[in-house]
Amino acid sequence: MLTAEQNRILTDVSPGTPLHNYWKKHWIPALRSEALRAGGAPQKVELLCEKYVAFRGHDGSVGFLLEACPHRGVSLALGRNENNRLTCIFHGWSFDAQGNCTRMPTEKDQSFCQKVKGQGFKVREGGGVVWVFLGDGEPPKFTDFAFTHFSRDHTRPRASYNEANWLQNVETLMDSAHIGLLHHDTTADANAPQAGLQLVTGNDTPKYTLEQRPYGLRSYSLRTTGGDKDYLRVTEYVAPGTAFIGTTDAEAAFVIIVVPVNNTRSLQWYIYWDSRQLIDNNLPDFALMGTDESDDNFAASRQGTPNYGQDREAMEAGKTWSGVPGVIFEDYLVAESIPIVDRTREFLGSGDLAIVRMRRELLERIRQSEAGEDCVKSLESNYRALRALAEMVPVGTSIQEFTESKQQERISQFE
Amino acid sequence: MNSVSKHSVYVKSVRHEAESILSFELLPGPGAALPAFTAGSHIDLFIPGVPTRSYSLLNDQSESNRYEVAVAKDSKSRGGSKLLHERLRAGDRFEVSDPKNLFPLNEASELSVLIAGGIGITPLWSMAQRLESLQANWKLVYFARSRESAALLDRMDKAFRYGHVELHLGYGAAETAASIAELFSQDAAATHYYCCGPSGMLETYKNAAVSIPNDRVHYESFVPLHDASTEGGFEVVLAKAGTVVKVQSGQSVLDALAEVGIEVMNSCREGICGACEVVVLDGTPDHRDSILSESEKASNKSMFVCCSGSKTPRLVLDL
């Protein structure tokens, strides 16, 4: 679909590129709040081809700085975390949570510190996640999704990495058509209580409707079942890398956020939440399937295993479609099989409508970003109200009206 | 840009097959040769002044250098069949595409049940002839409004050794459905089914076949709901570039733009993937895509340039 130039615009996040600058205009989930203990070890975080370090002072506040000490480049991840400062072990230069240098033992004149200001980035915590703003100037309105308002017991953020370019990871989130195929093992399993997904079985040609929104797109996919009800899935896409994935009322909700680490590596967040009960009591089956215990990189032990250990014997014996356990690794397996997808060589069909629309949306937003126009539209976006659906609807219902009223219902019942 | 193989043909004869159905026998033009085809194939006809349309080859695939197609004059025709009936005469020369087969026969099956409705008989007749020559069992069930409207009956009036024809004339929807259901009720494991006919009949067929494994149930949709518009004959004004591009007959807007170096994102070239959407500033598009809702089409705010054309002499696009 795209020219080589357009594909580059959407995939190359190297410093200085339009995509890199566009991403930096948004709040980005960098690491879990729990990964930072007050006064504990700083954590390295690589985002958008740049290296950062995060630390939490004894007063609880989080600093997010460039990893390289501004003096002579030594890693501040080696630094001492004390007195709400991160102190470089090389020459003892100290930085507060805003990245201001407050002490330089190697200089007689401490006013020299004033010159080394603001190496830090704006930070907000919400929903168990440390969000950062890596751009210039004032950040946009914070992406206060519903789960950022709940207490820790009600949200469970999990992060991992995969070795694929960010865009193809996001495309998988918008792709309703693959659910009953790649994830056949899950959808065809009538015993799994993932009630939403089972309804996809045997129906791989949803009808898409896409609506533009200030935050991105709302994607409806409708599947006829031959009965008097259709199966509707609604995905809320928040540009650039966030998708709320449809669930039924009974299930916990979840959102997936993809952040580029570099051009062939992505940080992938799976954030589950349920305002009605402890989230750990209502995690979806797939959430922990095949994953490590660590919520900071739940794919660590599988990384490096060829093809995520795809079991060809079991495939031949007809026991599995994909050969890997669970929807997450199925998605990772296909995403990683090509480091950066070449979108100049594709054959798209009706199942790709949402992806096509998303690419167009991103190209337009990046154009706006380059032209200095508002490409985030945070003020017009009601982040808190976003809910994704998986519901049976009577045939002939207006999907827009149904979605609006169902979202309102969930908001009022669950908050 | 697509480069399409074209073969020169001339009309050897035009035959009256039935009320509103003419068949055209095509032989190669001087020095030309026609590629071989397999039963179920169709060809595109490239006739100046006539929209490009596809027609199934109804003759026996063993005939080399001879193509036979039949055209039903559709009262709702957007131009193709009507013009062919009114204008195409013996001796006329034009070009056709390579045969393409999206409806192939499984030659290994023990029994082939061929279900035809109206002009849908054409690919199935080619199949019946092939099966007969393979000495493979076949049954052709042919639904038509009346004897007068049923094509190729004279060719069917023979004693075949490996199959037979059942003619069902004047059946209503319910009788047709019952008849098709009856065919499936006698299903044996190695039988393959083929259906070609009007969309209502195809729906009935697909519903009746729901318990038969997909790989034994075949059909071809004969009246494309969304034929690409390649009538041409209008111009496209590019508002941003400030240029005017003429769209010729046989070209899509996408083709015409590409010819003058204007690349529009595209992929499927069929109006299903959405990649080539362009905002329309003026003029009335002739929507042929499968994406826009009726009200979106009526608003004419955008169009898909790989397949949609124009109802007005001029379209102004936001390019």
Side-chain angles (χ1 to χ4, degrees), chain A residues 1-3 6 207-210 346-354 356-357 360 363, chain B residues 263-270 272-279 290-292 296 304:
Chain A
M1 173 183 164
L2 304 179
T3 61
Q6 289 165 329
K207 169 118 181 63
Y208 283 108
T209 307
L210 291 138
E346 309 181 291
F347 209 110
L348 303 180
S350 57
D352 302 304
L353 215 55
V356 167
R357 190 62 207 274
R360 298 173 64 99
L363 283 168
Chain B
E263 285 186 46
V264 175
M265 288 191 290
N266 70 89
S267 189
C268 73
R269 290 175 172 265
E270 262 187 51
I272 59 170
C273 79
C276 67
E277 188 172 10
V278 171
V279 169
S290 305
I291 300 169
L292 297 174
E296 284 171 325
F304 294 93

Short mmCIF file of all heavy atoms in Angstrom, two decimals, chain A residues 1-3 6 207-210 346-354 356-357 360 363, chain B residues 263-270 272-279 290-292 296 304:
data_model
loop_
_atom_site.label_atom_id
_atom_site.label_comp_id
_atom_site.label_asym_id
_atom_site.label_seq_id
_atom_site.Cartn_x
_atom_site.Cartn_y
_atom_site.Cartn_z
N MET A 1 0.82 -1.23 0.00
CA MET A 1 0.00 0.00 0.00
C MET A 1 0.84 1.26 0.00
O MET A 1 0.46 2.24 -0.60
CB MET A 1 -0.88 -0.01 1.24
CG MET A 1 -1.66 1.27 1.44
SD MET A 1 -2.60 1.20 2.97
CE MET A 1 -2.99 2.93 3.21
N LEU A 2 1.94 1.25 0.73
CA LEU A 2 2.68 2.50 0.91
C LEU A 2 3.90 2.55 -0.01
O LEU A 2 4.40 1.54 -0.47
CB LEU A 2 3.17 2.59 2.36
CG LEU A 2 2.11 2.50 3.45
CD1 LEU A 2 2.76 2.59 4.82
CD2 LEU A 2 1.04 3.56 3.30
N THR A 3 4.37 3.78 -0.23
CA THR A 3 5.66 3.93 -0.90
C THR A 3 6.74 3.67 0.16
O THR A 3 6.48 3.70 1.36
CB THR A 3 5.85 5.34 -1.43
OG1 THR A 3 5.80 6.24 -0.30
CG2 THR A 3 4.76 5.72 -2.42
N GLN A 6 6.80 6.47 2.62
CA GLN A 6 5.73 6.46 3.61
C GLN A 6 5.97 5.38 4.65
O GLN A 6 5.70 5.58 5.84
CB GLN A 6 4.37 6.23 2.93
CG GLN A 6 3.89 7.41 2.14
CD GLN A 6 2.75 7.06 1.20
OE1 GLN A 6 2.65 5.93 0.69
NE2 GLN A 6 1.88 8.01 0.94
N LYS A 207 -17.43 -7.19 9.30
CA LYS A 207 -17.64 -5.96 8.54
C LYS A 207 -17.14 -4.82 9.41
O LYS A 207 -17.60 -4.62 10.52
CB LYS A 207 -19.13 -5.81 8.23
CG LYS A 207 -19.53 -4.47 7.67
CD LYS A 207 -20.11 -4.63 6.25
CE LYS A 207 -20.50 -3.29 5.64
NZ LYS A 207 -19.35 -2.39 5.46
N TYR A 208 -16.20 -4.07 8.88
CA TYR A 208 -15.63 -2.97 9.66
C TYR A 208 -16.35 -1.66 9.41
O TYR A 208 -16.75 -1.37 8.28
CB TYR A 208 -14.17 -2.72 9.23
CG TYR A 208 -13.16 -3.71 9.75
CD1 TYR A 208 -12.59 -4.64 8.90
CD2 TYR A 208 -12.74 -3.67 11.08
CE1 TYR A 208 -11.64 -5.52 9.35
CE2 TYR A 208 -11.79 -4.55 11.54
CZ TYR A 208 -11.24 -5.47 10.68
OH TYR A 208 -10.29 -6.35 11.12
N THR A 209 -16.50 -0.87 10.46
CA THR A 209 -16.88 0.52 10.30
C THR A 209 -15.87 1.31 11.13
O THR A 209 -15.57 0.94 12.26
CB THR A 209 -18.31 0.78 10.84
OG1 THR A 209 -19.19 -0.15 10.25
CG2 THR A 209 -18.75 2.19 10.53
N LEU A 210 -15.36 2.37 10.55
CA LEU A 210 -14.35 3.15 11.28
C LEU A 210 -14.77 4.58 11.40
O LEU A 210 -15.28 5.17 10.44
CB LEU A 210 -13.02 3.05 10.52
CG LEU A 210 -12.49 1.63 10.65
CD1 LEU A 210 -11.94 1.14 9.35
CD2 LEU A 210 -11.45 1.57 11.73
N GLU A 346 2.51 -5.68 -0.54
CA GLU A 346 1.42 -6.27 0.22
C GLU A 346 0.25 -6.54 -0.70
O GLU A 346 0.15 -5.96 -1.77
CB GLU A 346 0.84 -5.31 1.24
CG GLU A 346 1.80 -4.66 2.16
CD GLU A 346 1.06 -3.77 3.10
OE1 GLU A 346 0.53 -2.74 2.63
OE2 GLU A 346 1.02 -4.10 4.30
N PHE A 347 -0.67 -7.34 -0.23
CA PHE A 347 -1.91 -7.56 -0.97
C PHE A 347 -3.02 -7.46 0.07
O PHE A 347 -3.34 -8.44 0.73
CB PHE A 347 -1.89 -8.94 -1.61
CG PHE A 347 -2.70 -8.97 -2.86
CD1 PHE A 347 -2.09 -9.09 -4.10
CD2 PHE A 347 -4.08 -8.83 -2.81
CE1 PHE A 347 -2.85 -9.09 -5.26
CE2 PHE A 347 -4.83 -8.83 -3.97
CZ PHE A 347 -4.21 -8.97 -5.20
N LEU A 348 -3.56 -6.27 0.23
CA LEU A 348 -4.54 -6.07 1.29
C LEU A 348 -5.94 -6.40 0.83
O LEU A 348 -6.26 -6.28 -0.36
CB LEU A 348 -4.50 -4.61 1.76
CG LEU A 348 -3.14 -4.13 2.25
CD1 LEU A 348 -3.24 -2.68 2.69
CD2 LEU A 348 -2.65 -5.00 3.39
N GLY A 349 -6.76 -6.82 1.75
CA GLY A 349 -8.13 -7.16 1.41
C GLY A 349 -9.12 -6.53 2.37
O GLY A 349 -8.76 -5.66 3.17
N SER A 350 -10.34 -7.01 2.31
CA SER A 350 -11.40 -6.37 3.10
C SER A 350 -11.15 -6.52 4.59
O SER A 350 -11.62 -5.72 5.39
CB SER A 350 -12.76 -6.96 2.72
OG SER A 350 -12.73 -8.36 2.91
N GLY A 351 -10.39 -7.52 4.99
CA GLY A 351 -10.10 -7.71 6.42
C GLY A 351 -9.11 -6.69 6.95
O GLY A 351 -8.89 -6.61 8.15
N ASP A 352 -8.52 -5.91 6.06
CA ASP A 352 -7.46 -4.98 6.47
C ASP A 352 -7.93 -3.54 6.57
O ASP A 352 -7.13 -2.64 6.76
CB ASP A 352 -6.30 -5.06 5.47
CG ASP A 352 -5.73 -6.46 5.36
OD1 ASP A 352 -5.34 -7.00 6.41
OD2 ASP A 352 -5.70 -7.02 4.24
N LEU A 353 -9.22 -3.36 6.44
CA LEU A 353 -9.77 -2.01 6.41
C LEU A 353 -9.35 -1.16 7.59
O LEU A 353 -8.98 0.01 7.44
CB LEU A 353 -11.30 -2.13 6.41
CG LEU A 353 -12.07 -1.11 5.61
CD1 LEU A 353 -11.60 -1.08 4.19
CD2 LEU A 353 -13.54 -1.48 5.65
N ALA A 354 -9.37 -1.73 8.79
CA ALA A 354 -9.04 -0.96 9.98
C ALA A 354 -7.57 -0.55 9.96
O ALA A 354 -7.20 0.56 10.34
CB ALA A 354 -9.36 -1.76 11.25
N VAL A 356 -5.67 -0.17 7.28
CA VAL A 356 -5.49 0.85 6.24
C VAL A 356 -5.87 2.22 6.81
O VAL A 356 -5.16 3.20 6.64
CB VAL A 356 -6.36 0.51 5.01
CG1 VAL A 356 -6.46 1.68 4.06
CG2 VAL A 356 -5.78 -0.69 4.29
N ARG A 357 -7.00 2.25 7.48
CA ARG A 357 -7.49 3.51 8.04
C ARG A 357 -6.54 4.05 9.09
O ARG A 357 -6.26 5.24 9.15
CB ARG A 357 -8.88 3.27 8.62
CG ARG A 357 -9.60 4.49 9.01
CD ARG A 357 -9.86 5.40 7.79
NE ARG A 357 -9.96 6.77 8.22
CZ ARG A 357 -11.08 7.34 8.66
NH1 ARG A 357 -12.18 6.65 8.70
NH2 ARG A 357 -11.06 8.59 9.06
N ARG A 360 -3.49 5.65 7.47
CA ARG A 360 -3.81 6.96 6.92
C ARG A 360 -3.89 7.98 8.05
O ARG A 360 -3.44 9.12 7.91
CB ARG A 360 -5.13 6.91 6.16
CG ARG A 360 -5.11 5.95 4.97
CD ARG A 360 -6.49 5.82 4.36
NE ARG A 360 -6.90 7.10 3.82
CZ ARG A 360 -6.82 7.42 2.55
NH1 ARG A 360 -6.36 6.56 1.67
NH2 ARG A 360 -7.21 8.60 2.14
N LEU A 363 -0.37 8.83 9.19
CA LEU A 363 0.34 9.69 8.24
C LEU A 363 -0.15 11.12 8.37
O LEU A 363 0.65 12.07 8.33
CB LEU A 363 0.13 9.18 6.80
CG LEU A 363 0.96 7.95 6.42
CD1 LEU A 363 0.46 7.35 5.11
CD2 LEU A 363 2.44 8.30 6.31
N GLU B 263 1.03 9.13 -7.80
CA GLU B 263 0.82 7.87 -7.09
C GLU B 263 -0.16 8.03 -5.95
O GLU B 263 0.02 8.87 -5.08
CB GLU B 263 2.14 7.41 -6.46
CG GLU B 263 3.13 6.84 -7.44
CD GLU B 263 4.34 6.30 -6.71
OE1 GLU B 263 4.15 5.59 -5.69
OE2 GLU B 263 5.46 6.61 -7.11
N VAL B 264 -1.18 7.23 -5.97
CA VAL B 264 -2.13 7.22 -4.85
C VAL B 264 -1.94 5.87 -4.15
O VAL B 264 -1.84 4.84 -4.81
CB VAL B 264 -3.58 7.36 -5.36
CG1 VAL B 264 -4.57 7.21 -4.21
CG2 VAL B 264 -3.77 8.70 -6.05
N MET B 265 -1.90 5.88 -2.83
CA MET B 265 -1.77 4.63 -2.07
C MET B 265 -2.84 3.66 -2.52
O MET B 265 -3.99 4.05 -2.69
CB MET B 265 -1.99 4.90 -0.58
CG MET B 265 -0.87 5.64 0.06
SD MET B 265 -1.01 5.64 1.87
CE MET B 265 -2.41 6.69 2.12
N ASN B 266 -2.48 2.42 -2.71
CA ASN B 266 -3.49 1.44 -3.12
C ASN B 266 -2.99 0.05 -2.78
O ASN B 266 -1.81 -0.15 -2.51
CB ASN B 266 -3.75 1.54 -4.62
CG ASN B 266 -2.56 1.06 -5.45
OD1 ASN B 266 -2.45 -0.11 -5.77
ND2 ASN B 266 -1.66 1.97 -5.75
N SER B 267 -3.88 -0.91 -2.77
CA SER B 267 -3.43 -2.29 -2.60
C SER B 267 -4.31 -3.28 -3.35
O SER B 267 -3.85 -3.89 -4.30
CB SER B 267 -3.34 -2.65 -1.12
OG SER B 267 -2.72 -3.91 -0.95
N CYS B 268 -5.57 -3.41 -2.99
CA CYS B 268 -6.37 -4.51 -3.53
C CYS B 268 -6.87 -4.27 -4.95
O CYS B 268 -7.18 -5.20 -5.67
CB CYS B 268 -7.56 -4.80 -2.63
SG CYS B 268 -8.86 -3.55 -2.74
N ARG B 269 -7.02 -3.00 -5.33
CA ARG B 269 -7.57 -2.65 -6.65
C ARG B 269 -8.96 -3.23 -6.90
O ARG B 269 -9.32 -3.52 -8.03
CB ARG B 269 -6.62 -3.09 -7.76
CG ARG B 269 -5.38 -2.23 -7.76
CD ARG B 269 -4.34 -2.71 -8.77
NE ARG B 269 -3.26 -1.72 -8.86
CZ ARG B 269 -3.21 -0.76 -9.75
NH1 ARG B 269 -4.14 -0.65 -10.66
NH2 ARG B 269 -2.21 0.10 -9.75
N GLU B 270 -9.69 -3.38 -5.80
CA GLU B 270 -11.03 -3.97 -5.95
C GLU B 270 -12.06 -3.24 -5.12
O GLU B 270 -13.20 -3.64 -5.09
CB GLU B 270 -11.01 -5.40 -5.38
CG GLU B 270 -10.85 -6.48 -6.37
CD GLU B 270 -11.00 -7.85 -5.74
OE1 GLU B 270 -12.01 -8.09 -5.04
OE2 GLU B 270 -10.11 -8.67 -5.99
N ILE B 272 -12.03 -3.01 -1.77
CA ILE B 272 -12.32 -3.65 -0.48
C ILE B 272 -11.34 -3.31 0.63
O ILE B 272 -11.68 -3.46 1.80
CB ILE B 272 -12.39 -5.20 -0.60
CG1 ILE B 272 -11.07 -5.78 -1.12
CG2 ILE B 272 -13.55 -5.62 -1.46
CD1 ILE B 272 -11.02 -7.30 -1.03
N CYS B 273 -10.14 -2.82 0.31
CA CYS B 273 -9.17 -2.63 1.38
C CYS B 273 -9.13 -1.22 1.93
O CYS B 273 -8.64 -0.99 3.02
CB CYS B 273 -7.76 -3.05 0.93
SG CYS B 273 -6.92 -1.82 -0.08
N GLY B 274 -9.59 -0.26 1.15
CA GLY B 274 -9.68 1.10 1.64
C GLY B 274 -8.47 1.98 1.42
O GLY B 274 -8.50 3.17 1.76
N ALA B 275 -7.39 1.45 0.87
CA ALA B 275 -6.16 2.22 0.80
C ALA B 275 -6.24 3.44 -0.11
O ALA B 275 -5.58 4.44 0.15
CB ALA B 275 -5.01 1.32 0.32
N CYS B 276 -7.06 3.38 -1.17
CA CYS B 276 -7.00 4.44 -2.19
C CYS B 276 -8.05 5.52 -2.00
O CYS B 276 -8.42 6.20 -2.94
CB CYS B 276 -7.13 3.81 -3.57
SG CYS B 276 -8.77 3.11 -3.83
N GLU B 277 -8.53 5.69 -0.80
CA GLU B 277 -9.58 6.67 -0.55
C GLU B 277 -9.09 8.09 -0.82
O GLU B 277 -8.01 8.48 -0.38
CB GLU B 277 -10.07 6.58 0.90
CG GLU B 277 -11.29 7.42 1.17
CD GLU B 277 -11.87 7.16 2.55
OE1 GLU B 277 -11.22 6.47 3.36
OE2 GLU B 277 -12.99 7.64 2.82
N VAL B 278 -9.88 8.86 -1.57
CA VAL B 278 -9.52 10.24 -1.91
C VAL B 278 -10.73 11.13 -1.62
O VAL B 278 -11.87 10.76 -1.91
CB VAL B 278 -9.14 10.33 -3.41
CG1 VAL B 278 -8.97 11.77 -3.83
CG2 VAL B 278 -7.87 9.54 -3.68
N VAL B 279 -10.47 12.30 -1.07
CA VAL B 279 -11.56 13.23 -0.78
C VAL B 279 -12.05 13.88 -2.08
O VAL B 279 -11.25 14.30 -2.91
CB VAL B 279 -11.08 14.31 0.22
CG1 VAL B 279 -12.08 15.44 0.34
CG2 VAL B 279 -10.81 13.67 1.57
N SER B 290 -16.82 -1.66 -1.95
CA SER B 290 -17.60 -2.46 -0.99
C SER B 290 -17.40 -1.94 0.43
O SER B 290 -17.53 -2.69 1.39
CB SER B 290 -17.13 -3.91 -1.04
OG SER B 290 -17.22 -4.42 -2.33
N ILE B 291 -17.07 -0.66 0.55
CA ILE B 291 -16.74 -0.14 1.88
C ILE B 291 -17.74 0.88 2.39
O ILE B 291 -18.22 0.78 3.53
CB ILE B 291 -15.33 0.50 1.85
CG1 ILE B 291 -14.29 -0.54 1.44
CG2 ILE B 291 -14.99 1.10 3.20
CD1 ILE B 291 -12.96 0.05 1.13
N LEU B 292 -18.05 1.86 1.56
CA LEU B 292 -18.92 2.95 2.00
C LEU B 292 -20.34 2.47 2.22
O LEU B 292 -20.83 1.61 1.50
CB LEU B 292 -18.93 4.07 0.96
CG LEU B 292 -17.59 4.77 0.69
CD1 LEU B 292 -17.74 5.75 -0.46
CD2 LEU B 292 -17.09 5.49 1.94
N GLU B 296 -22.98 7.16 3.10
CA GLU B 296 -21.65 7.71 2.79
C GLU B 296 -21.50 7.89 1.29
O GLU B 296 -20.95 8.88 0.83
CB GLU B 296 -20.55 6.79 3.32
CG GLU B 296 -20.37 6.89 4.83
CD GLU B 296 -19.45 5.82 5.38
OE1 GLU B 296 -19.45 4.67 4.85
OE2 GLU B 296 -18.72 6.11 6.32
N PHE B 304 -13.19 5.78 -3.78
CA PHE B 304 -12.05 4.87 -3.90
C PHE B 304 -11.65 4.80 -5.36
O PHE B 304 -12.40 4.31 -6.20
CB PHE B 304 -12.41 3.48 -3.33
CG PHE B 304 -12.64 3.55 -1.84
CD1 PHE B 304 -13.92 3.74 -1.34
CD2 PHE B 304 -11.58 3.49 -0.95
CE1 PHE B 304 -14.14 3.85 0.02
CE2 PHE B 304 -11.79 3.60 0.42
CZ PHE B 304 -13.07 3.79 0.90
#
